[in-house]
Amino acid sequence: MESLANQPSAPLRLGILLRHLVPHAGFTPFPTSAQVVPATCLTQFRYTLDNSILTLEQRRFYEDNGYLLIKNLVADEDIDRFGEEFVKICRKEVEVPGITIMKDIAIAKSAANENTVSKLQDFTWNEELFRYCTLPQIVKYVECFTGPDIMAMHTMLINKPPDTGKKTSRHPLHQDLHYFAFRPADRIVCAWTAMQRVDQRNGCLVVLPGSHKGCLKEHKYPDWKDGVNKMYHGIHDYDKSLPRVHLPMEKGDTVFFHPLIIHGSGRNRTEGFRKAISCHYASSDCYYINIKGTSQENIEKEIEEIARRRYALGGSSFTLKDASMIRSRLVKGKRKNL
């Protein structure tokens, strides 16, 4: 008989038993969102909340991979209306307070229209496009990650142009948390909906599954021969051995993903534009943090420079927190700390 000295301790035996009974159970790891909280209890799920929407398989997939694709979630009629509003904004038939209209660096000097605008950023105060953020079929999934009180923090309609041959239509691998000065990261989620068929030919999303379990990495502009678009920061250093997964999607398909997952998109090698609409949501219980002295300071300085020019701020300071407050809007529940 094996001696008692060689047998595992009671806590170790309990841990082994739990791992057999509940494979995804384990000590809650430290958050990756600039605060350290000691792990005090065992939990099965960290990145999703108890809900009646996600199946157990879906929850485990998101926990393990950091993203979840839901097919055929947004109706064609809604997507077509968003596309029509995009054209109106590009043609300046509709004015939107606070919106940023972006063009690819390769065609930056072209007149703004639906064939030259590559992105509408912060469309929060356009009622038609903001309707995307409030679609019940979107919000019911968002609640699984954020809880019932939800803020829309950042919005985009992306119109990835055909690449001119300079590969500037690419988006470098990055983590969205780099652009956000609020936490905790686990109560933030992005909903990204394809407005048409997207695949590797026209630059679909590519993700590094499981990378959301890491920390926020240093971002800076990639050293690309023909330049890179404004604020398209990329991760300075990451494990290039991590597998990549491309996400082909049909019109109306929606992917939800964690703000720490490493993702990007390739160049558009077709003759048409690749459209998608997205919103980043956060729990109203989230709070702002001071990012001075952190890897996020470079993006804050860049936003401050843009704000000075746009709003003629002069010597006034403008932070990433200020930008978030301007573009945020309540979706559901109560606005609290944000």
Side-chain angles (χ1 to χ4, degrees):
M1 180 180 293
E2 185 179 3
S3 68
L4 291 176
N6 293 327
Q7 294 185 17
S9 64
L12 183 57
R13 292 198 303 273
L14 176 61
I16 294 171
L17 177 61
L18 282 173
R19 281 193 294 274
H20 281 293
L21 294 175
V22 187
H24 289 261
F27 286 101
T28 304
F30 286 165
T32 58
S33 53
Q35 82 273 22
V36 176
V37 179
T40 57
C41 62
L42 289 168
T43 181
Q44 183 179 4
F45 298 108
R46 167 181 171 179
Y47 303 105
T48 58
L49 302 172
D50 290 341
N51 64 87
S52 60
I53 304 301
L54 300 180
T55 66
L56 182 59
E57 181 180 7
Q58 287 174 324
R59 288 189 74 178
R60 286 177 173 170
F61 186 90
Y62 188 88
E63 293 283 328
D64 292 340
N65 296 283
Y67 72 95
L68 181 65
L69 178 61
I70 305 297
K71 303 292 289 182
N72 196 31
L73 190 61
V74 180
D76 287 358
E77 179 184 354
D78 286 321
I79 290 176
D80 292 343
R81 284 176 58 179
F82 301 146
E84 291 167 4
E85 191 72 4
F86 167 78
V87 172
K88 292 178 183 177
I89 294 171
C90 291
R91 294 178 179 176
K92 297 186 178 180
E93 296 173 9
V94 175
E95 295 292 332
V96 185
I99 199 169
T100 299
I101 298 176
M102 302 178 68
K103 291 184 286 186
D104 189 274
I105 189 174
I107 52 174
K109 296 182 179 180
S110 304
N113 59 56
E114 62 269 28
N115 294 318
T116 59
V117 172
S118 62
K119 184 186 294 185
L120 299 181
Q121 192 159 279
D122 301 327
F123 59 68
T124 312
W125 300 107
N126 175 272
E127 294 303 324
E128 177 57 40
L129 293 184
F130 186 71
R131 195 171 59 81
Y132 167 79
C133 306
T134 64
L135 289 174
Q137 66 268 39
I138 295 280
V139 174
K140 75 175 184 179
Y141 279 99
V142 170
E143 287 186 81
C144 301
F145 310 102
T146 65
D149 297 322
I150 310 167
M151 295 291 297
M153 302 302 298
H154 181 49
T155 49
M156 292 186 293
L157 195 154
I158 306 160
N159 188 44
K160 184 190 281 283
D163 197 87
T164 62
K166 296 184 177 181
K167 302 181 181 179
T168 55
S169 65
R170 293 176 293 175
H171 200 303
L173 290 175
H174 64 284
Q175 297 164 299
D176 287 340
L177 193 65
H178 172 66
Y179 298 92
F180 302 148
F182 47 91
R183 303 292 189 272
D186 296 343
R187 297 286 76 84
I188 303 170
V189 70
C190 179
W192 193 101
T193 298
M195 296 179 67
Q196 63 192 85
R197 164 76 183 179
V198 298
D199 52 33
Q200 286 185 251
R201 291 183 66 247
N202 61 6
C204 66
L205 288 177
V206 58
V207 298
L208 275 59
S211 55
H212 66 300
K213 298 177 183 178
C215 61
L216 180 59
K217 297 184 178 295
E218 179 185 359
H219 288 61
K220 65 179 183 179
Y221 281 113
D223 185 18
W224 288 354
K225 177 183 176 182
D226 292 307
V228 61
N229 286 304
K230 193 71 173 174
M231 291 192 287
Y232 276 34
H233 293 187
I235 293 177
H236 174 54
D237 183 30
Y238 65 95
D239 184 357
K240 293 181 174 58
S241 68
L242 290 174
R244 300 186 184 189
V245 173
H246 291 86
L247 299 180
M249 299 166 64
E250 299 294 338
K251 182 178 181 180
D253 292 354
T254 302
V255 61
F256 298 88
F257 56 88
H258 191 280
L260 278 171
I261 193 170
I262 299 173
H263 67 289
S265 64
R267 59 193 173 104
N268 183 356
R269 294 173 291 168
T270 70
E271 296 181 358
F273 290 79
R274 189 272 275 158
K275 288 183 175 64
I277 187 169
S278 71
C279 178
H280 278 89
Y281 301 84
S283 166
S284 294
D285 285 327
C286 286
Y287 52 87
Y288 286 105
I289 63 168
N290 185 353
I291 62 173
K292 296 297 182 185
T294 73
S295 65
Q296 290 181 264
E297 198 167 9
N298 59 348
I299 189 64
E300 181 178 52
K301 289 179 179 177
E302 193 166 342
I303 289 176
E304 182 175 352
E305 291 172 4
I306 294 171
R308 286 180 188 278
R309 293 195 300 269
R310 177 182 294 182
Y311 302 109
L313 291 175
S316 301
S317 63
F318 189 88
T319 67
L320 198 54
K321 173 182 176 180
D322 297 323
S324 297
M325 292 176 70
I326 287 173
R327 68 193 182 199
S328 65
R329 187 173 178 183
L330 184 67
V331 173
K332 184 180 179 183
K334 300 178 180 178
R335 181 165 185 160
K336 299 175 183 177
N337 298 329
L338 280 175

